[in-house]
Amino acid sequence: MKHSILIHPDPRLKKVCAPVADLSDKLRLLADDMLETMYAAPGIGLAAPQIGVMDRLIVLDCEKEEGVEPKPLIMFNPEIISASDETNVYEEGCLSIPDQYAEVTRPKEVEVQWLDRDGNQQRQSFDGLWATCVQHEIDHLDGKLFIDYLKPLKRQMITRKMQKLKKERARAKGA
C-alpha cells in the first residue's frame, strides 16, 4: 500500500522520532509499504516521519542505473557510529520538498549500525551517494531536513515555494 508523502512545512517533519522497541509484523509491513512508496515517487530514500509515522525507520536504494538489480535496504533504529573527516558535496533533493535541490556537504563515508527487518544487528560502511542518502534519511529521524544546511535566505525561499505548492494542491483537491 502506497502512502502519501508529507510536504514541508509540516510539524511532523521537525520532530525527533522514537526508537523502535519491538519489531512487529505491522512494522515490517510498513517498511515494505515505504519501499513501494519510495520507488513510486520515485526516490532513493524515505524516512517514516515523511509519511507521518514517528518511528526510527528508513528505507533506501541508491541503485538507479537501468538494468542494475535493486538493492533495497530497510533500517530500524539506524545510527551513524563513525564518519570520515573527508567530505562530499551532493546536490540533494527530498520527496517532502518536491522539485527543490541544493548542494549539501556531508561526510564522504559513514559507518552505520541498524536492525534489519528480522531484528538482526547490522553494521556497514557506506560511501558516495549511499553515504549521503543514509545521512539524509537519518537526519529525518532527528527532525532535520536538507534545507536546514542551507543559508537562511535560500531556506526561506524554498519554504515559501512549498507553502504555495501545498495551497495549490489543497485547492486542486477541493475543486
Side-chain angles (χ1 to χ4, degrees), residues 3-19:
H3 291 269
S4 296
I5 296 172
L6 300 178
I7 302 295
H8 166 73
D10 184 299
R12 291 168 288 185
L13 293 171
K14 299 306 283 177
K15 286 192 165 60
V16 176
C17 295

Side-chain angles (χ1 to χ4, degrees), residues 1-167:
M1 178 183 90
K2 279 190 1 196
H3 291 269
S4 296
I5 296 172
L6 300 178
I7 302 295
H8 166 73
D10 184 299
R12 291 168 288 185
L13 293 171
K14 299 306 283 177
K15 286 192 165 60
V16 176
C17 295
V20 173
D22 186 29
L23 267 186
S24 63
D25 286 342
K26 187 178 167 195
L27 276 172
R28 285 184 188 89
L29 186 61
L30 174 67
D32 294 339
D33 289 349
M34 284 174 58
L35 277 171
E36 186 184 332
T37 301
M38 176 194 81
Y39 286 129
I44 60 170
L46 186 66
Q50 291 180 273
I51 58 166
V53 176
M54 305 317 291
D55 288 323
R56 294 188 80 79
L57 162 61
I58 63 173
V59 298
L60 54 152
D61 184 350
C62 297
E63 292 301 335
K64 299 188 305 188
E65 298 296 313
E66 202 61 42
V68 174
E69 198 65 32
K71 284 192 191 149
L73 269 181
I74 294 171
M75 298 182 172
F76 293 96
N77 301 333
E79 187 185 345
I80 294 171
I81 45 179
S82 69
S84 64
D85 291 334
E86 194 180 343
T87 58
N88 245 354
V89 177
Y90 266 99
E91 185 174 67
E92 293 188 27
C94 180
L95 295 176
S96 291
I97 309 174
D99 304 320
Q100 300 299 312
Y101 302 92
E103 289 191 341
V104 177
T105 303
R106 298 184 184 269
K108 183 179 187 299
E109 294 176 31
V110 289
E111 191 173 347
V112 180
Q113 71 180 18
W114 71 95
L115 293 176
D116 66 18
R117 73 190 307 272
D118 299 319
N120 299 314
Q121 186 82 41
Q122 300 290 335
R123 188 179 187 144
Q124 188 177 331
S125 291
F126 297 94
D127 66 0
L129 181 59
W130 283 90
T132 295
C133 185
V134 76
Q135 291 173 80
H136 175 115
E137 298 311 326
I138 291 173
D139 273 355
H140 275 298
L141 304 181
D142 296 323
K144 192 168 188 173
L145 300 171
F146 85 92
I147 59 171
D148 294 333
Y149 291 92
L150 308 179
K151 290 191 166 57
L153 201 62
K154 175 110 171 128
R155 188 168 58 239
Q156 288 161 358
M157 191 178 78
I158 289 173
T159 298
R160 279 197 294 276
K161 284 181 182 171
M162 292 302 101
Q163 288 165 327
K164 187 177 169 195
L165 176 71
K166 285 174 86 167
K167 280 184 190 141

Side-chain angles (χ1 to χ4, degrees), residues 167-175:
K167 280 184 190 141
E168 287 168 3
R169 285 185 177 182
R171 267 201 302 276
K173 275 186 187 161

